[in-house]
Amino acid sequence: QVQLVESGGGSVHPGGSLKLSCASSGFTLALYGVGWFRQVPGKKREGIACISKNGATTEYLDAVEGRFTISRGTDKRTVTLEMSDLRPEDAAVYFCATDNSSPRGFCSLSTERYQHYWGQGTQVTISP
């Protein structure tokens, strides 16, 4: 079955850390650009981090720059998002998605670029 699956969400205190994983099945994730997105009820889904197909380019939303790190696994099937210094405003459902149309060294935080596969999301809760 072809799918993307996010994992690693949970509940942490402010200032805590989480490591999210995006894993592909049925296809090789390393062949695509990958983006991480988040959404809270009543708001649009926003792009927070992306990595290009060749891994050479990463982009981050200003609000997470310096706190979040996106990287590719050596297994060619996973992309991780390491999140540190988490804040209450980081609470959301986090999604990963693949971009099958951008050039090898390019990635975008725009949801419109990601027309390939989307995962079902993993919940991140920040509670004191």
Side-chain angles (χ1 to χ4, degrees):
Q1 184 178 2
V2 177
Q3 62 180 350
L4 278 177
V5 178
E6 303 93 339
S7 62
S11 180
V12 296
H13 297 306
S17 300
L18 282 172
K19 183 176 180 180
L20 304 184
S21 179
C22 173
S24 65
S25 63
F27 69 101
T28 302
L29 194 57
L31 298 178
Y32 303 94
V34 176
W36 278 99
F37 304 81
R38 66 187 181 189
Q39 188 170 25
V40 298
K43 292 193 175 183
K44 292 178 63 175
R45 189 170 296 186
E46 66 175 354
I48 56 170
C50 65
I51 188 165
S52 61
K53 185 184 304 184
N54 63 4
T57 301
T58 58
E59 297 285 344
Y60 296 93
L61 184 71
D62 286 348
V64 308
E65 180 88 55
R67 300 188 295 123
F68 291 12
T69 303
I70 188 171
S71 61
R72 287 191 179 273
T74 56
D75 60 359
K76 299 185 179 182
R77 291 182 52 253
T78 56
V79 169
T80 60
L81 183 69
E82 296 187 69
M83 308 187 297
S84 63
D85 188 24
L86 285 162
R87 303 167 182 173
E89 56 265 35
D90 294 319
V93 178
Y94 283 69
F95 301 86
C96 63
T98 52
D99 171 10
N100 65 340
S101 63
S102 293
R104 287 176 52 82
F106 176 86
C107 77
S108 170
L109 298 181
S110 170
T111 57
E112 295 178 355
R113 279 281 181 177
Y114 296 83
Q115 303 293 331
H116 192 224
Y117 293 115
W118 283 84
Q120 293 301 305
T122 185
Q123 178 73 51
V124 171
T125 303
I126 316 296
S127 57

